[in-house]
């Protein structure tokens, strides 16, 4: 290991170095130390992982300070004292090596303690409290239309005998509209009015814009302010199949550009929609990559041996939590949630 | 009434064969998600099934006396099939 300020030869591996960095960062780094830290962090992905894990474990110590141990692990209660580990009135001239070694030793001990707890179905961060990736919701409406709601999206449905009105209040939704020329299907979102007869289109609404892509059929769009009533559809413009319009929230709807979207781009924009992940004799990494591609989640296979697992899968792409549960029950793989939401997979 | 199906019973028609293939056929016919351990199950033969029954009955008949085990996810009904995990 290259020469550095860490004196304890027993802590020369990535975890040991990471633990000492955790202690140093907690009490503040000088400019020079910051540069040194960033250099070490970027030198290897192992360093990043080790640091993330040690940081998480360190923060668990705060929680454990009030925890009455029910297990046989013998931890000196004084070591759990925050003041001793991470003194806030710290003397900047104090020797880092001493504090770093103490912190590293405790953090590694607690890592082992917590790992044991994880193995026995109990952890500082339970799986239910950790990242829970919600499934995509699907609403089947009374007319046969279907709305798929991306995560955290909300809609109000207000059907009447004259029209089928849906208000997209937040997020992203995909609409598959059952054909009924006598009763137009209307989506209102942030002052924009979209009208469809029998079609499929996607609408994404965020703090900047309303983004509409048509997969099939035709969608008419206009400003809600220009809408003159059921009998009069004035100032409407038309989006055809594989066309897209992005309307800025302060933009004049009548002047926005319509763009053509190719098949590949269309697929990318609609990746969030659930599909069956259907592989035969595939390594775990391939299946994991597909889950990562289609979801706001980062599954990481930590050890090479986990990728020796080959499986046939037929699994909905948004059913991540069940996928992980079954990996644990039948494939000898354990999942651990990182503080940043990353889910690490490794052999038990 | 004669001929009435129970709500959760499905008609299955699956030939005996390599577990990796037949269990996927089972999943398609049952309408369930499945994960199959290729490393462990390749070469194991499952039994044929024919008739109307529940998904779990169908699965258990197929894997009877093969050593294959399964777990069903309680929330989503997804199924994983493998050999028993080594301790």
């Amino acid at each position: 290991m290259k020469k550095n300020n860490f004196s304890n030869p027993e802590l020369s591996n990535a975890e040991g170095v990471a633990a000492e960095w955790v202690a140093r960062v907690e009490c503040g780094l000088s400019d020079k130390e910051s540069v040194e830290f960033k250099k070490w962090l970027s030198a290897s992905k192992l360093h990043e992982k080790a640091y993330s894990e040690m940081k998480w474990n360190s923060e668990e110590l705060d929680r454990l300070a009030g925890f009455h141990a029910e297990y046989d692990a013998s931890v000196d209660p004084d070591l759990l004292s925050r003041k001793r580990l991470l003194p806030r009135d710290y003397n900047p001239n104090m020797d880092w090596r001493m504090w770093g070694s103490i912190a590293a030793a405790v953090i590694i001990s607690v890592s082992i303690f917590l790992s044991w707890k994880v193995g026995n179905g109990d952890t500082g961060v339970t799986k239910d409290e950790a990242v829970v990736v919600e499934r995509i919701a699907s609403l089947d409406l009374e007319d046969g239309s279907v709305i798929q709601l991306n995560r955290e999206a909300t809609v109000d449905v207000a059907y009447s005998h004259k029209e089928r009105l849906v208000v997209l209040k937040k997020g992203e939704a995909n609409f598959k509209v059952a054909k009924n020329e006598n009763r137009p299907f209307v989506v209102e979102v942030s002052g924009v009015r979209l009208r469809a007869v029998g079609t499929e289109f996607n609408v994404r609404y965020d703090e900047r814009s309303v983004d509409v892509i048509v997969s099939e059929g035709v969608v008419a769009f206009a400003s809600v302010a220009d809408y003159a009533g059921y009998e009069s559809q004035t100032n409407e413009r038309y989006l055809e199949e594989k066309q897209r319009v992005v309307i800025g929230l302060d933009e004049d709807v009548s002047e926005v550009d319509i763009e053509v979207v190719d098949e590949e781009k269309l697929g990318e924009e609609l990746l969030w929609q659930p599909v069956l992940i259907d592989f035969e004799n595939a390594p775990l990494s391939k299946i994991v990559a597909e889950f990562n591609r289609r979801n706001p989640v980062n599954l990481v296979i930590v050890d090479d041996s986990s990728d020796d697992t080959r499986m046939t899968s037929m699994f909905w792409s948004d059913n991540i939590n069940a996928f992980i549960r079954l990996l644990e029950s039948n494939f000898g793989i354990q999942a651990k949630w990182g503080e940043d939401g990353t889910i690490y997979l490794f052999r038990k | 009434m004669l001929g009435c199906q129970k709500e959760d019973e499905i008609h299955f028609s699956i030939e005996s064969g390599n577990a990796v293939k037949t269990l996927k056929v089972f999943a398609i016919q049952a309408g369930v998600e499945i994960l199959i351990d290729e490393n462990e199950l390749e070469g194991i033969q499952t039994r044929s099934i024919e008739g109307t029954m529940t998904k779990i009955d169908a699965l258990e008949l197929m894997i009877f006396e093969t050593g294959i085990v399964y777990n069903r996810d309680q929330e989503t009904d997804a199924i994983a099939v493998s050999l028993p995990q080594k301790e």
Side-chain angles (χ1 to χ4, degrees), chain A residues 52-98:
Chain A
S52 178
E53 190 159 328
M54 288 300 154
K55 185 166 178 294
W56 183 77
N57 289 335
S58 171
E59 284 163 1
E60 282 298 298
L61 291 173
D62 293 336
R63 204 185 63 81
L64 287 171
F67 182 75
H68 298 287
E70 298 172 7
Y71 305 99
D72 292 333
S74 53
V75 178
D76 182 349
D78 286 342
L79 287 176
L80 296 177
S81 162
R82 186 180 174 84
K83 191 175 176 185
R84 175 159 176 174
L85 275 176
L86 303 164
R88 289 302 184 202
D89 55 351
Y90 179 70
N91 182 342
N93 294 321
M94 190 173 290
D95 186 358
W96 274 110
R97 286 172 290 183
M98 182 185 81

Side-chain angles (χ1 to χ4, degrees), chain A residues 9-21:
Chain A
E10 292 176 358
L11 297 173
S12 59
N13 60 19
E15 282 186 357
V17 174
E20 292 187 343
W21 274 119

Side-chain angles (χ1 to χ4, degrees), chain A residues 4 26 29-30 62 77 82-83 90 102 107 110-111 170 181 193 213 227 235 269 276 279 292 304 322 332:
Chain A
N4 56 33
E26 279 281 356
L29 299 177
S30 66
D62 293 336
R82 186 180 174 84
K83 191 175 176 185
Y90 179 70
I102 290 171
I107 288 167
V110 172
S111 299
K170 180 185 168 192
E181 289 171 5
R193 183 177 165 86
I213 300 178
Y227 177 56
N235 296 329
E269 293 294 335
L276 271 180
F279 286 117
N292 284 339
D304 290 340

